[in-house]
Amino acid sequence: MPPLPTPSRAGRPLRLALCLSPLLVAAVWGLANQSLLYEGVTRLAHAEPGWLLAGGACTCLTWVVASCMRQGAVPDRLPPGLLLASQFAAGAANHALPAGLGAHAVTVRFLRTRGVPLERATASIALYSVARSGAKTVVLIGFLLSSSAWRRLGELVPDGVVLIPVAAALALAGVAMAVVRPLRRPVTGLVRCALTDARTVHARPSRVLALWGGATAMPLVQASVLACAGEALGLGLPWADVTLAYLAAGTAGGAVPVPGGVAVDAALVLTLAAFGAPPAVATATVLGYRVLTDWVPLLPGALVLSAMIRAKAL
């Protein structure tokens, strides 16, 4: 495999800005909500350790589910141990790039080391993303239909004017891909490869179960981490309401491409508060969720990432 190109000095400020942007956004929010943040941290320090351990177990389960989905998105057989290690390491990369791009980049690099061509590795990312978004939407609709708490989400829905720039950007990107030939050719090839691999994958029941079963389980497992943090802090909301809040906040905050999940966290605090949780407890719950899913695994994840790079597994 050819070595990765050496980063240019001109791109260093941009990479540095991407890495520091989550800290900057979090610092601004913290300065604007100092009393709320202080009370949330104080509550987190007195949380019930049993529920935090249960949340940690659910966090470990998310890496297993992600590994199942990655395997289900490619026809090739991948080594389970290395695949699981790559998904654990991918979590550390997500702190630098928004929208899961860090995890996707690590996964593409892992697939390339296993002999998967670049076009097929990229197509697997598209299939993974489609399955995850589609299954999450179905789960969200199911919770909306089965719960009366959805009525409290009305005031949190953004104004239609806010969605106009997003729709315009998507339309512009579609026109550019249709008109500009240098863009159309690689996109057309990627779509063709993705459709071919999708037919191959869906002809194997084990791959279908791994991909779509994992995609359905992922938001439920992630919401369970949040629910465990809430139980440890006395949030006072049932699991179904916490799950609905997580799904709704993730859908709204995920549209804002901010690294580190800061936009999702802000939307999650507002959604939990709209469901009746005290703002300080909601803030502490989201902090506990981030401690379990991001901060505690960050250092070991970075070490695993470094070890896999040195071993040329990435």
Side-chain angles (χ1 to χ4, degrees):
M1 177 182 304
L4 291 176
T6 303
S8 62
R9 292 186 178 181
R12 290 178 182 176
L14 177 59
R15 291 193 298 272
L16 182 62
L18 286 173
C19 294
L20 294 181
S21 57
L23 299 177
L24 179 61
V25 174
V28 172
W29 183 88
L31 290 175
N33 301 271
Q34 293 184 39
S35 60
L36 190 64
L37 183 62
Y38 175 78
E39 187 175 351
V41 172
T42 302
R43 287 178 177 271
L44 184 60
H46 297 86
E48 295 185 19
W51 281 109
L52 293 181
L53 288 175
C58 292
T59 300
C60 295
L61 189 58
T62 60
W63 303 320
V64 177
V65 174
S67 300
C68 291
M69 292 181 63
R70 298 293 187 184
Q71 176 61 88
V74 291
D76 310 75
R77 177 66 178 174
L78 302 174
L82 284 177
L83 178 59
L84 180 60
S86 71
Q87 295 310 294
F88 178 54
N94 265 344
H95 288 271
L97 295 173
L101 294 180
H104 292 332
V106 171
T107 301
V108 168
R109 189 64 182 173
F110 172 73
L111 293 176
R112 295 288 288 121
T113 62
R114 307 313 303 176
V116 179
L118 178 60
E119 192 175 54
R120 291 184 56 199
T122 308
S124 75
I125 299 300
L127 182 56
Y128 171 94
S129 301
V130 168
R132 183 167 183 174
S133 300
K136 185 176 182 179
T137 301
V138 171
V139 174
L140 174 59
I141 293 174
F143 273 86
L144 288 174
L145 294 177
S146 61
S147 175
S148 61
W150 64 269
R151 297 184 179 88
R152 305 174 186 176
L153 298 174
E155 60 189 40
L156 301 175
V157 176
D159 191 359
V161 178
V162 179
L163 301 179
I164 293 178
V166 178
L170 293 176
L172 182 61
V175 171
M177 291 180 184
V179 175
V180 182
R181 182 172 296 180
L183 291 177
R184 185 172 69 244
R185 286 180 176 176
V187 171
T188 302
L190 176 62
V191 171
R192 187 181 300 112
C193 180
L195 292 176
T196 301
D197 278 5
R199 286 194 295 267
T200 303
V201 164
H202 286 81
R204 304 180 183 181
S206 60
R207 294 292 194 271
V208 174
L209 179 61
L211 178 62
W212 291 99
T216 303
M218 179 63 80
L220 300 177
V221 175
Q222 291 175 326
S224 296
V225 180
L226 181 67
C228 288
E231 290 292 339
L233 294 160
L235 184 65
L237 294 179
W239 179 84
D241 287 358
V242 173
T243 302
L244 178 57
Y246 173 83
L247 294 169
T251 302
V256 183
V258 178
V262 178
V264 175
D265 291 349
L268 191 51
V269 171
L270 293 176
T271 307
L272 291 174
F275 280 9
V281 183
T283 302
T285 299
V286 175
L287 286 175
Y289 171 78
R290 283 302 171 191
V291 166
L292 293 172
T293 58
D294 291 346
W295 300 348
V296 171
L298 178 58
L299 179 58
L303 293 176
V304 171
L305 178 62
S306 177
M308 294 188 72
I309 292 175
R310 289 198 305 271
K312 296 183 180 181
L314 286 178

